[in-house]
């Protein structure tokens, strides 16, 4: 299934290994912004465990900032701010 914590973290891992680390070889930490729902929600324990495994693997800390509830593509005001 594409909507799992393992898939979300695998996507981050793949980005870091193929794009992030070559582009930012001196990075000392990662900051990731994420919506607050589904597999990468702030209360999903599996997501936290998977992120910790990634941190252990790559050796730099990762901070996840979750958007507040109601902040999504279905929010009328925010939708007007999206690029078409």
């Amino acid at each position: 299934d594409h909507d799992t914590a393992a898939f979300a973290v695998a996507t981050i891992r793949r980005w870091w290994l193929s794009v992030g680390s070559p582009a930012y070889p001196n990075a000392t930490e990662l900051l990731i912004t994420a919506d607050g729902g589904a597999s990468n929600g702030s209360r999903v324990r599996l997501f936290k465990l998977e992120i910790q495994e990634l941190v252990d693997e790559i050796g730099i800390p990762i901070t996840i900032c979750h958007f507040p509830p109601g902040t999504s593509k279905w929010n009328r005001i925010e939708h007007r701010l999206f690029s078409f």
Side-chain angles (χ1 to χ4, degrees), residues 19-43:
V19 177
S21 62
Y24 306 102
N26 298 322
T28 57
E29 64 182 322
L30 289 179
L31 173 64
I32 297 172
T33 57
D35 64 357
S39 60
N40 60 344
S42 60
R43 295 183 178 167

Side-chain angles (χ1 to χ4, degrees), residues 35-36 67-80 82:
D35 64 357
F67 295 124
T71 308
S72 72
K73 64 182 178 182
W74 305 115
N75 183 315
R76 292 174 145 227
I77 294 169
E78 186 185 34
H79 190 69
R80 285 186 241 160
F82 289 164

Side-chain angles (χ1 to χ4, degrees), residues 2 4-22 24 29-35 39-41 46-66:
H2 67 281
T4 65
F7 181 81
V9 176
T11 303
I12 296 168
R13 178 181 285 109
R14 181 175 291 172
W15 173 84
W16 177 250
L17 295 176
S18 64
V19 177
S21 62
Y24 306 102
E29 64 182 322
L30 289 179
L31 173 64
I32 297 172
T33 57
D35 64 357
S39 60
N40 60 344
L46 181 58
F47 181 67
K48 294 176 184 180
L49 290 171
E50 294 282 342
I51 285 290
Q52 184 60 55
E53 287 179 10
L54 178 59
V55 167
D56 295 341
E57 179 184 325
I58 65 176
I60 60 173
I62 298 175
T63 302
I64 309 288
C65 295
H66 287 93

